Amino acid sequence: MRTLTHVVAGQPCTINFPERHADLIAFETFLARGDKVIAVDTETTGLDVYTPRHRLRLVQFGTSTEAWVLRADLFAPAIMRALRQPRSLLVHNAAYDLLVLNRHLGVTIEEIGPRTFDTRILAHLLDPRTESEGGIGLGLKPLSAVYVDPEAPDTQNGLTAVFRGLGLTKATGWAGIPIDHETYVRYAGLDVIYAHRLFGEIGPMVRDIGLDHLSKFEHHLQTLLAILQRRGMRLDVPYVQRLKGELITEAEQFAAVAARYGVANVNSTAQVAEALLAMGEQLHEHTPSGAPKVDKNVLLPLADLTLQWERIESRTPNPLADAVVRSKRAQKWAESYAQAFLDLKDADDRLHPFIGGLQARTARMSVSRPPLQQLPSGDWTIRRAFIADPGQAIIAADYQAVEMRVLAALSGDETMIKAIADGVDLHSFTAERVFGPDFTKQHRKIAKAVGFGKVYGGGAATITRQTGADLESVKSALAAYDATFPGIKRYSRRLMNRAEYGRKEVVTPSGRHLPLDRDRLYAATNYVVQSTSRDLLAQAIVDLFDAGLGEHLLLPVHDELIAQAPRDEAAEVIREIGRVMESNFYGVRIASDPEVYGPSWGHGYGASA
DNA sequence: TTTCGCAGCCAC
DNA sequence: AAACGTGGCTGCGAAA
């Protein structure tokens, strides 16, 4: 047994590192003490839990003064027994550890999820802001520094310094550092001690502000999302390999065209800008640092293309601009999607994207490694890579204009609530009220942009840029919109006034406190709408599991759920899922649109083979 | 050599 | 008076 000592917040703590089986007797004694709550953490070789190369190295247990760091290669049975004892577990960012323990030790999410407390969830409820947003942050280190001990070492960054001394990098260090390296063991042990103390500090705070109920909900949701992640989605590997090859060829062909105009690297914005200027093009827009902007909003018009890639016929296309946008798109799709899919798949050709259930400031969920919430939707080719399990079909149900409906409900605007109840197209309705009965397609487009502008907090200038309409008609459309839906303007003003003179935050119907930046109080409306829309989807996921439909779910995508079901039941299952998703929110119907896609996700976007 | 901020692009 | 919100990820090019 190796024993390390460390002072945490002025108190001496011990970190025990058993080296042989005889050392476990003391560990059993520690467990037999019967602490109600024990902190747990894992150290692994990397973040990609389901790739064949992923390994579990250490599992740590601890209280506020004592940690046990156990090697998974030597002591797996003891670790499993400890995890299965009937007591509460305390984990910082349990979304990750639940999956690790399930995959490597077979201790399932269902076994330990329901009795796990996650300090990251508690911290997010207290303040969801990251460090860069002016908050404490959601990592164990910044939270410990604030709530436990200002001297808390940064165990993650501290180790990267150690990695360098060993000739390792950030990428190779977690797998390569010797498993008994003193700093590695020490920091592994400190993490559970800090997590335990952090829980002791912020657990009561969450209770005091009346968020116990929301906390319970978020813990339950996280467990369900972990089950979705464990399930994963099936990848059509031959299709992805073929697609990747085609995309790379396309990227190379257009890169060769760009090279003829002096651009050796299409991803170098500096090279592209210089070459375009040399060709006599004007570049009026600039980036925050002052460089000429050459993004696709600039390049597509130079190539005589709309933002939807249709020919405008208003000028001679600039061949360089055309080649650059085409090469970059093909390369982005090849790398960010096709290649990422192949890198992250498990041994059974399934992808298990990480679902962050409580991610954004607004609690919106995120999906990463790979980013399945942001696959191209204007074209089916990338989504076609995901296929249903044998005998099943991909199905999906999305909320219809959920953010507009939430805004209508929260603001209580009678005109909009009635329009929704009557089932009319909201943007056409707005266009008619703003521009009269003879409104055009362009008028509807402006009305739609104004509606989104209200949700996002966008102003006349932004809407002008988006729609190409002139500033004056956009301004009058905004004024007419306010006159048509006075409740929405009133509601936004109320949120801002409260923040102006009271706490710089907005509180959602679920009781979530969302901090506002003092120079961006106008974001209040967006925050409460976005957050509430997320809460509705989260509630739907919980309800679907309660209704026995959880086994069908595959992925949440902000306002929709992707699922699968046996082919001959698919239509019925998705209708049922859609029904469970629907609700009445302050008198406004939150409606869903169920759809059977077919053999792949891409079949919902026009794929046929 | 590795890390990191910027620019850009994908989604809702 | 006006104010475009939330994420993930890749490549470049300079800093460390």
Side-chain angles (χ1 to χ4, degrees):
Chain A
M1 176 93 81
R2 263 168 55 200
T3 300
L4 309 171
T5 59
H6 202 96
V7 175
V8 174
Q11 285 184 298
C13 297
T14 56
I15 296 158
N16 303 295
F17 184 61
E19 291 169 301
R20 53 184 70 80
H21 282 86
D23 297 339
L24 291 181
I25 295 168
F27 177 59
E28 301 292 343
T29 308
F30 162 76
L31 292 175
R33 250 177 20 208
D35 291 86
K36 277 211 180 91
V37 182
I38 288 191
V40 176
D41 189 22
T42 64
E43 300 301 331
T44 62
T45 53
L47 295 175
D48 304 317
V49 179
Y50 289 89
T51 56
R53 60 185 176 274
H54 191 265
R55 294 286 179 275
L56 172 63
R57 305 191 78 198
L58 301 173
V59 178
Q60 307 96 275
F61 297 85
T63 64
S64 58
T65 55
E66 180 178 357
W68 287 82
V69 179
L70 270 62
R71 288 177 56 161
D73 58 343
L74 299 181
F75 306 126
I79 294 167
M80 289 158 66
R81 271 200 309 280
L83 290 168
R84 288 185 163 133
Q85 288 183 349
R87 63 154 67 81
S88 292
L89 304 176
L90 189 55
V91 185
H92 188 76
N93 198 12
Y96 179 73
D97 298 275
L98 286 174
L99 293 161
V100 168
L101 296 171
N102 195 141
R103 161 137 156 73
H104 293 294
L105 296 176
V107 179
T108 63
I109 297 159
E110 288 84 347
E111 281 180 86
I112 58 175
R115 53 186 168 87
T116 297
F117 292 102
D118 186 344
T119 40
R120 189 187 173 281
I121 289 178
L122 302 180
H124 194 283
L125 293 176
L126 291 175
D127 184 347
R129 293 173 301 175
T130 62
E131 286 170 279
S132 61
E133 290 173 326
I136 296 169
L138 298 165
L140 184 58
K141 154 70 188 168
L143 290 167
S144 299
V146 169
Y147 292 112
V148 178
D149 180 1
E151 307 295 314
D154 189 332
T155 56
Q156 303 278 310
N157 288 335
L159 275 176
T160 58
V162 174
F163 294 162
R164 194 161 309 140
L166 296 169
L168 300 165
T169 67
K170 238 181 164 171
T172 60
W174 296 102
I177 188 168
I179 199 163
D180 58 355
H181 189 284
E182 180 174 324
T183 312
Y184 184 55
V185 171
R186 178 182 299 275
Y187 284 1
L190 283 177
D191 278 347
V192 279
I193 291 172
Y194 284 120
H196 197 282
R197 286 170 176 252
L198 180 60
F199 180 69
E201 295 296 323
I202 67 177
M205 291 170 68
V206 168
R207 178 160 314 156
D208 288 348
I209 56 173
L211 291 185
D212 253 6
H213 183 74
L214 189 54
S215 168
K216 204 171 171 189
F217 175 85
E218 295 299 341
H219 279 85
H220 181 47
L221 175 71
Q222 185 172 76
T223 298
L224 301 182
L225 293 174
I227 290 170
L228 295 197
Q229 185 177 345
R230 183 183 61 193
R231 178 175 301 148
M233 286 180 84
R234 189 161 161 246
L235 193 65
D236 186 342
V237 173
Y239 173 81
V240 177
Q241 281 166 337
R242 198 166 62 241
L243 176 65
K244 189 187 121 191
E246 290 167 5
L247 288 168
I248 287 176
T249 303
E250 188 183 338
E252 285 169 350
Q253 282 170 349
F254 285 110
V257 174
R260 291 207 289 273
Y261 295 92
V263 173
N265 188 337
V266 293
N267 286 308
S268 167
T269 50
Q271 285 180 29
V272 171
E274 192 188 345
L276 285 171
L277 290 170
M279 292 169 91
E281 298 287 359
Q282 309 273 328
L283 298 174
H284 301 291
E285 292 189 71
H286 293 85
T287 69
S289 67
K293 233 179 191 315
V294 283
D295 64 14
K296 71 175 188 176
N297 289 333
V298 172
L299 296 185
L300 283 172
L302 296 183
D304 194 44
L305 295 170
T306 67
L307 298 183
Q308 289 73 41
W309 297 70
E310 297 140 352
R311 191 68 202 274
I312 304 172
E313 309 276 359
S314 72
R315 61 163 284 171
T316 309
N318 181 304
L320 172 60
D322 185 82
V324 167
V325 285
R326 290 182 193 279
S327 178
K328 282 179 74 171
R329 181 169 78 161
Q331 195 182 318
K332 157 110 184 157
W333 287 19
E335 287 303 321
S336 293
Y337 305 124
Q339 185 60 53
F341 297 167
L342 296 173
D343 288 343
L344 292 166
K345 70 183 171 66
D346 72 8
D348 298 319
D349 292 344
R350 298 185 79 84
L351 271 175
H352 304 262
F354 183 84
I355 305 171
L358 197 48
Q359 193 63 27
R361 184 188 307 207
T362 57
R364 246 191 179 198
M365 302 177 207
S366 74
V367 174
S368 58
R369 285 177 275 123
L372 295 197
Q373 287 193 140
Q374 54 235 62
L375 305 185
S377 60
D379 178 309
W380 53 263
T381 50
I382 300 294
R383 290 178 195 242
R384 165 67 184 76
F386 294 91
I387 51 179
D389 283 322
Q392 308 222 17
I394 300 290
I395 53 183
D398 69 330
Y399 283 128
Q400 300 170 10
V402 62
E403 292 188 329
M404 290 309 295
R405 286 171 189 250
V406 165
L407 180 56
L410 292 176
S411 68
D413 185 275
E414 288 173 17
T415 311
M416 188 173 285
I417 289 175
K418 183 169 185 309
I420 291 168
D422 292 344
V424 304
D425 174 78
L426 261 187
H427 303 313
S428 298
F429 177 82
T430 309
E432 189 185 338
R433 295 295 292 255
V434 171
F435 300 105
D438 298 326
F439 70 89
T440 63
K441 261 182 105 170
Q442 172 70 2
H443 286 142
R444 185 183 179 280
K445 189 176 167 190
I446 295 173
K448 184 177 175 180
V450 169
F452 279 118
K454 290 292 166 186
V455 173
Y456 288 146
T462 307
I463 295 167
T464 303
R465 195 160 4 98
Q466 278 172 353
T467 57
D470 63 286
L471 187 63
E472 281 317 305
S473 42
V474 168
K475 276 183 173 168
S476 63
L478 276 165
Y481 189 95
D482 287 340
T484 307
F485 306 115
I488 289 175
K489 187 181 170 72
R490 214 159 35 229
Y491 178 68
S492 294
R493 289 216 63 92
R494 194 162 80 230
L495 293 182
M496 278 181 67
N497 282 340
R498 273 189 211 168
E500 179 85 41
Y501 299 107
R503 296 174 67 96
K504 301 284 175 282
E505 67 174 21
V506 58
V507 182
T508 70
S510 64
R512 204 183 296 284
H513 293 241
L514 307 177
L516 296 167
D517 303 331
R518 59 182 61 250
D519 56 339
R520 287 167 58 243
L521 296 184
Y522 63 84
T525 307
N526 175 256
Y527 283 6
V528 70
V529 168
Q530 187 182 107
S531 191
T532 301
S533 300
R534 174 275 185 195
D535 287 339
L536 288 169
L537 190 72
Q539 185 64 57
I541 291 170
V542 169
D543 292 344
L544 284 164
F545 271 88
D546 287 346
L549 291 162
E551 61 182 293
H552 297 289
L553 298 182
L554 295 173
L555 198 71
V557 189
H558 299 310
D559 64 351
E560 75 175 318
L561 292 171
I562 312 299
Q564 65 174 357
R567 267 196 294 271
D568 52 351
E569 304 166 15
E572 192 185 332
V573 169
I574 197 59
R575 264 200 311 276
E576 194 53 38
I577 288 175
R579 263 200 292 277
V580 173
M581 287 170 69
E582 294 202 0
S583 63
N584 187 304
F585 184 69
Y586 292 105
V588 174
R589 180 161 167 261
I590 306 296
S592 75
D593 235 340
E595 206 178 333
V596 174
Y597 283 179
S600 86
W601 194 357
H603 283 72
Y605 294 78
S608 53

